Amino acid sequence: MTAARPSHLGLHGGKLAAVPDSPNCVSSMTDQEPFFMEPIDVTGVDQPLEKLKQKIAAEIPRSELITEDGNYLHFEVKSLVFRFVDDTEFLLDEAEEVIHFRSASRVGYSDMGANRKRVEKIRSAMN
């Protein structure tokens, strides 16, 4: 159930990948209502990506930093019981002082809101 790492992850023209057709993804870079969430406000936060990495390490169990490239981070997060893997990506927009994100399940159709809950937990930890 761990499926191979998707090839479409990362930046495409300075943006995170589009959301899939299935309801197991959230993103701050989509205009599709069921998937959209506001980006994480980091106004006045010193070294926001370092803080983000620390908060994820402390708050999100079974998360592993896979890629760190400039203002982009990619984490894999495994579910406790079945070890499903979700890909959670972040992109710091320094000019707007926000962190954009995309969090999606690799397998299945519904995630029972797991990606949305994860991003809300990270957002709360950043405040």
Side-chain angles (χ1 to χ4, degrees), residues 5-39:
R5 188 172 297 140
S7 61
H8 66 273
L9 298 178
L11 299 179
H12 307 275
K15 295 191 174 200
L16 300 171
V19 296
D21 292 333
S22 55
N24 59 5
C25 180
V26 292
S27 175
S28 63
M29 294 189 125
T30 185
D31 58 2
Q32 297 181 43
E33 187 56 40
F35 305 104
F36 177 75
M37 292 178 71
E38 291 289 335

